[in-house]
Amino acid sequence: MSVTHDDRKIPLEAVHNFRDLGGYRTADGRTTRWRTLYRADGLYRLTPTDIDTVRALGLTTVIDLRTPDELTERGRFPLDDHPAAYHHLPIIDVVWSTEEVATLGDDPSAIMLHLYLDMFRRGEQELVQLLQILARPEVLPAVFHCAAGKDRTGIASAVVLGVLGVPAETIVADYALSAEAMERMEAWFEANMPHMVERMAQQPQAFRSADPRTMEGLLDLIDARHGSMKDYVRSLGVGDDVFAALETNLLDD
């Protein structure tokens, strides 16, 4: 399944994984709406030129999935330059330590699958809140983001797209687009924020991977345990009214 599209990646100077979630076909033949919902990495890095680009998208809502410590250390979306509704929904409260990850083996895909399952366990209510927010039409266009736009944002994208009925192979392909973005991010850090290169070098190699097998494994487990992503989210208390609103807000016939 090809998910590349000339309009999907939003070109920015200092943010490298800002992408449109539009144009994805659902199982019933509808399509996710363009220029309505975006996924992204560290929006605290937006330059003045980047802000002009983002402003042209008409963003109304920013949903930040990072930890409280990340907000304190790195800041957040520049609301003074582009006023928007801001929601902080930390999928995890603390990032895993190198020592914790070292106990999970050597396979980056298996390590990340374990961590993604942990995100689902720890961030259930935040994922519910994400869907409830996106069910309100006045919040759109919206963007949700984390630090790299790959892991926590990848989980959130899988939930939203899965609930809308986007097939697993498309969700996996969308997730895999982060691999190229990680390369762009590392090159930009090398030139502009060398201390971040040092920090990334100290992190587990698994944190830098976007192996499709990780997302495939996650979606397979969700289906095996719950039947579908929608059934999983329904088990968390999300009602049909939210599902219907999400389809109205985010899908085109």
Side-chain angles (χ1 to χ4, degrees):
M1 168 67 193
S2 174
V3 297
T4 57
H5 190 287
D6 289 344
D7 293 334
R8 185 168 306 289
K9 185 177 73 175
I10 308 301
L12 299 168
E13 292 179 339
V15 176
H16 313 285
N17 204 6
F18 198 122
R19 294 189 264 125
D20 196 326
L21 285 172
Y24 289 148
R25 186 74 77 162
T26 66
D28 64 4
R30 290 181 288 179
T31 305
T32 55
R33 188 169 296 149
W34 286 104
R35 295 299 184 258
T36 303
L37 184 60
Y38 303 87
R39 55 177 292 170
D41 51 311
L43 298 181
Y44 67 93
R45 294 192 307 268
L46 290 167
T47 68
T49 299
D50 289 342
I51 292 169
D52 288 341
T53 300
V54 169
R55 186 179 293 120
L57 300 177
L59 284 180
T60 301
T61 303
V62 176
I63 302 170
D64 193 332
L65 307 176
R66 296 175 300 153
T67 67
D69 285 348
E70 287 173 295
L71 266 65
T72 300
E73 179 183 353
R74 301 176 192 174
R76 65 181 189 177
F77 180 88
L79 295 172
D80 290 342
D81 297 310
H82 180 75
Y86 177 86
H87 300 271
H88 182 214
L89 303 180
I91 297 293
I92 52 176
D93 51 2
V94 178
V95 177
W96 303 277
S97 69
T98 300
E99 292 73 22
E100 287 177 290
V101 176
T103 67
L104 301 178
D106 299 320
D107 181 351
S109 177
I111 290 170
M112 295 313 298
L113 176 57
H114 178 92
L115 298 182
Y116 286 2
L117 290 170
D118 191 39
M119 286 185 200
F120 266 90
R121 179 181 61 82
R122 294 161 64 181
E124 284 182 345
Q125 291 310 307
E126 285 72 20
L127 292 171
V128 168
Q129 290 177 64
L130 171 68
L131 295 176
Q132 292 171 335
I133 291 168
L134 296 178
R136 306 202 308 262
E138 68 273 14
V139 309
L140 302 169
V143 59
F144 53 83
H145 79 97
C146 58
K150 176 176 72 72
D151 301 318
R152 289 163 286 187
T153 297
I155 292 292
S157 296
V159 171
V160 173
L161 295 177
V163 163
L164 292 173
V166 174
E169 58 266 27
T170 304
I171 297 173
V172 170
D174 176 77
Y175 169 79
L177 291 177
S178 285
E180 179 190 358
M182 290 297 291
E183 294 177 3
R184 291 194 300 271
M185 182 183 300
E186 290 183 31
W188 187 87
F189 281 156
E190 187 82 39
N192 297 276
M193 298 177 70
H195 68 282
M196 289 298 294
V197 177
E198 296 176 11
R199 176 176 295 186
M200 291 177 72
Q202 296 170 1
Q203 294 176 341
Q205 179 63 32
F207 285 4
R208 300 159 73 177
S209 69
D211 190 329
R213 295 176 301 166
T214 303
M215 185 56 67
E216 287 172 355
L218 178 67
L219 298 178
D220 285 346
L221 283 172
I222 293 293
D223 286 352
R225 294 176 180 179
H226 302 280
S228 69
M229 185 67 75
K230 181 178 281 190
D231 288 334
Y232 164 67
V233 171
R234 185 179 279 115
S235 75
L236 301 180
V238 177
D240 289 341
D241 56 333
V242 172
F243 296 139
L246 289 168
E247 292 177 11
T248 297
N249 294 345
L250 299 174
L251 294 180
D252 286 326
D253 293 332

